[in-house]
Amino acid sequence: MGSGIPMDWIEEWMEKLKEKIKQVPLRNAMVIFFLIAFIFITILYFLTVQTCDNCINMLKKIYFSNEDYFEKEDMICYIEYAATLRQKAQNRILFFYFLKRYNLIFYIPIGIYIASYFYYKEKLKEPLRFLHQGAEHLAENDLDFSFTYNSKDEMGEICQTFENMRFQLVENQKEIWEIIESQRQCNAMFAHDLRTPLTVMHGYLDMLKKYHVNLSEEKLVEILKILTRQVERMEQFSDTMKELHGMEDLIVRKKSANLQELCQKIEENIKGLSGKIPIMFEVLFSAEPFFCNFDEASILEVLDNMIGNALRYAKTRIEVKVDLEHDMFLLYVKDDGCGFSKEDKKNAFQPYYSGEGKEHGHFGLGLTIANQLCHKHGGKLEITNSIYGGAIVCAMFSII
């Protein structure tokens, strides 16, 4: 137990020393390592010279007379006199003389190698390993990694720069995916919202095919005007889509207009959308002309999405009601379907969400688009279930 304490202290001291060296700049660290190597080489040199001198003196005392020792101390004189020595003593003394004079030839490269080895091990090996592994991940297009090399030297800065680059690549990749997703949503929204005008046009065209003989000229002109307005809506929507990069870019342009005319256009759209499932329409406020600020295209688009959603789940009928409450214009769409589940209420406004068991192949964008437009119009979109069964969607628009 007592011998373990000094060893632990030494290990702790070595770890602290390594950590300090790790923080030293590369150039300074190189100077330190080679300076330590120079000190050790110098110490080894003098120890070797002293050892060789001692060995030579000892051999001379054994194999030389005192007279020979004092007269022939120089190596050259000794070599001339070496013939008198025994062969074994001659080889040993020559070896020690050689080692004494030329030991630096061996110590210097060994010292350089050892200093270089520890310099690489302590300063370069770990960060280079991190960088190599990171480069391999990048080559495989894998950014799900990270490494931390805690050092204030140049390698630490390079590793931190590499980590910053990886993080920036992750952010760039997220941005690219967001752009792709936004473009996908825009494309889906464009395809989704073209359905309603086309459905309205299809409904009125079917009416013309079936009843054109019995329709009066006035009714034909009215239907043609409705069809023209739907074409204009499609053109307007197409122009808007050219400027959009995502749903968040949806633009609401309010202007003063007659609310009564808006209700008439809502009724026209509903008639065009009515088919196998009848759609009942009711205005809950006075039908007199009333001017206020709203974006007609946005309100009609919200209504189209609400009715489109209701048509997917209604069984026998759909009710549409409009009302005024203070400075808000309210649109209610009620169906007699299965209503909203808890999961539906939680995710109904998420892009591409469709409840379990619902119709496949739908983009799941109707309520998402409607919710965005309501908020941009200073209102909101709410969903709930009727106490008599079925779903109710309420869209609110600020008209001030």
Side-chain angles (χ1 to χ4, degrees), residues 262 294-303 329 331 377 397:
L262 174 64
F294 59 88
D295 184 350
E296 179 184 299
S298 296
I299 294 176
L300 290 176
E301 187 175 347
V302 170
L303 177 66
F329 178 69
L331 271 175
H377 210 291
F397 305 90

Side-chain angles (χ1 to χ4, degrees), residues 175-190 193 237 240-252 301 351-352 365 368-369 372-373 376:
E175 289 180 8
I176 290 171
W177 278 110
E178 287 174 1
I179 290 172
I180 293 173
E181 180 64 17
S182 295
Q183 191 60 51
R184 178 172 172 249
Q185 290 182 4
C186 282
N187 294 338
M189 183 170 62
F190 183 73
D193 283 356
F237 186 69
T240 302
M241 287 300 298
K242 292 177 183 178
E243 303 173 1
L244 291 183
H245 299 288
M247 283 192 191
E248 64 279 359
D249 296 329
L250 288 169
I251 300 172
V252 170
E301 187 175 347
Y352 310 113
L365 283 170
T368 307
I369 298 168
Q372 286 276 357
L373 288 171
K376 287 184 176 291

